[in-house]
Amino acid sequence: MESFQSVNEYVVWQIISLYIESMYMTWADESDDLRQRIQAFARSLFSPLAATLGWCHRDTDSALEARLRAISIPRAGWAGDTQVIDEACRLFDEFYHNPDNKPFHHDFTSSIFEIAVRSGPSHNYDLVKEMYEHSARWHLSEDHRMAALGAMACTSDCDRMWETLDYALSEHVLPQDLNIVLGFMVSANHHSKHVVWKWFTANYQRILDRLGECSALLGYVVKTTIGDFCTLDMADTIEDWFRNKHTAAFDRSLPQALEFIRIRAKWHDRDIEDVAEWFKQHVDL
């Protein structure tokens, strides 16, 4: 892993990030041990880069350094880097209590909100929800207001996940923003996609009423809800559930998503033993 630290190409780090995310989504449900090793592997890559670059944007920074900072800090935080988590929570708390003196660069707003909710004290969920509902008090742009909404979906508490999904169907959230919540949530941690699927099937009629049965938004919601599963059993379950539903709004995206699930499932089944063994040999906990 040390050899990667000399790499300073943003595209390379972006590809590494995407591959780690793909591995996590494919094998995180396999066991606690493998999931923790994947995150430890991510920490070994991104934490040194985050520590080197730091949180402060400098006038002498190149565009490359700014982009590397923007990818390394959120990835290190997602992977459980305690220094990154502690600093993100400190900055979040400072910003919440003193909105007129923002203590971090605007590029970090989304990352800090997400880390503060996912890994910080449970009350951060309520604080970021307050920021979403009263964004003018914190001078949030519309993009950063959406970041606050997305951060609510990064909670690790299953009850709060369900609460967030119900909230996303309320008058507080525009219909087109429901998919933002779903997108953040399904990728937030290894079990959130299962919560989203249970909520989706339990609230399907409410979703139809909110979005419209023939709305293009419904197609995006369906694709986001099911797109990160990776077992043949789940593909069959999803296909069976939709069998008697009116699917005109997503008659192309549903088969494509199911095909992708089955492709990922074959990858999972083919390589699970090799992947588990590699991480056991090369990544310490």
Side-chain angles (χ1 to χ4, degrees):
M1 270 72 83
E2 292 82 359
S3 61
F4 281 101
Q5 299 313 313
S6 61
V7 176
N8 62 357
E9 293 295 331
Y10 173 77
V11 173
V12 174
W13 284 105
Q14 187 178 44
I15 292 171
I16 291 171
S17 177
L18 291 172
Y19 269 107
I20 289 175
E21 180 180 0
S22 183
M23 286 191 296
Y24 184 84
M25 297 307 295
T26 302
W27 287 295
D29 285 337
E30 192 65 30
S31 69
D32 289 342
D33 181 80
L34 182 53
R35 179 172 63 256
Q36 291 168 8
R37 290 182 191 275
I38 293 173
Q39 289 190 293
F41 177 65
R43 281 198 306 276
S44 72
L45 293 172
F46 287 101
S47 291
L49 185 62
T52 298
L53 293 169
W55 290 80
C56 296
H57 284 269
R58 297 174 291 268
D59 292 338
T60 56
D61 282 348
S62 66
L64 172 63
E65 286 172 315
R67 297 176 77 186
L68 287 175
R69 185 181 289 113
I71 197 172
S72 62
I73 286 179
R75 271 303 173 195
W78 168 85
D81 183 316
T82 55
Q83 290 185 330
V84 168
I85 290 169
D86 290 346
E87 181 64 3
C89 289
R90 186 191 70 78
L91 291 168
F92 175 80
D93 189 65
E94 184 177 340
F95 178 52
Y96 175 82
H97 289 100
N98 189 9
D100 293 324
N101 184 27
K102 195 173 185 180
F104 49 85
H105 193 276
H106 60 80
D107 285 353
F108 290 128
T109 303
S110 181
S111 299
I112 287 173
F113 286 3
E114 291 171 38
I115 294 170
V117 172
R118 182 175 54 242
S119 303
S122 59
H123 67 261
N124 281 351
Y125 176 93
D126 300 303
L127 302 186
V128 82
K129 182 178 181 180
E130 183 183 355
M131 287 177 162
Y132 170 74
E133 293 182 345
H134 305 284
S135 57
R137 188 184 306 166
W138 285 272
H139 316 295
L140 297 181
S141 67
E142 185 59 21
D143 284 346
H144 290 153
R145 183 171 178 265
M146 289 298 101
L149 178 64
M152 291 171 60
C154 293
T155 176
S156 299
D157 182 282
C158 289
D159 291 337
R160 278 284 170 87
M161 289 182 200
W162 202 275
E163 177 185 336
T164 302
L165 292 165
D166 282 342
Y167 182 80
L169 276 185
S170 74
E171 71 280 1
H172 294 287
V173 178
L174 294 174
Q176 61 264 33
D177 294 335
L178 170 61
N179 207 45
I180 292 176
V181 175
L182 296 175
F184 273 91
M185 189 170 290
V186 296
S187 60
N189 56 67
H190 73 100
H191 64 274
S192 54
K193 61 181 178 288
H194 301 284
V195 176
V196 171
W197 171 247
K198 290 179 182 178
W199 175 85
F200 176 87
T201 55
N203 292 276
Y204 188 63
Q205 188 57 52
R206 290 179 61 206
I207 295 170
L208 292 182
D209 293 342
R210 183 68 168 153
L211 302 184
E213 191 169 18
C214 297
S215 168
L217 293 173
L218 182 59
Y220 295 131
V221 164
V222 169
K223 188 173 182 179
T224 300
T225 297
I226 68 177
D228 282 326
F229 286 107
C230 60
T231 66
L232 295 175
D233 285 345
M234 196 63 209
D236 292 341
T237 296
I238 293 168
E239 190 169 42
D240 289 343
W241 193 87
F242 278 109
R243 196 175 304 281
N244 297 318
K245 304 293 188 298
H246 182 66
T247 61
F250 45 94
D251 59 351
R252 295 184 63 184
S253 57
L254 177 60
Q256 289 172 351
L258 289 170
E259 181 182 9
F260 183 77
I261 293 171
R262 291 182 168 117
I263 290 171
R264 179 179 275 174
K266 290 178 180 178
W267 179 35
H268 172 282
D269 295 345
R270 184 190 67 222
D271 291 346
I272 178 56
E273 291 184 5
D274 291 339
V275 168
E277 183 61 25
W278 188 91
F279 276 99
K280 187 174 181 179
Q281 289 185 11
H282 293 88
V283 180
D284 295 328
L285 294 177

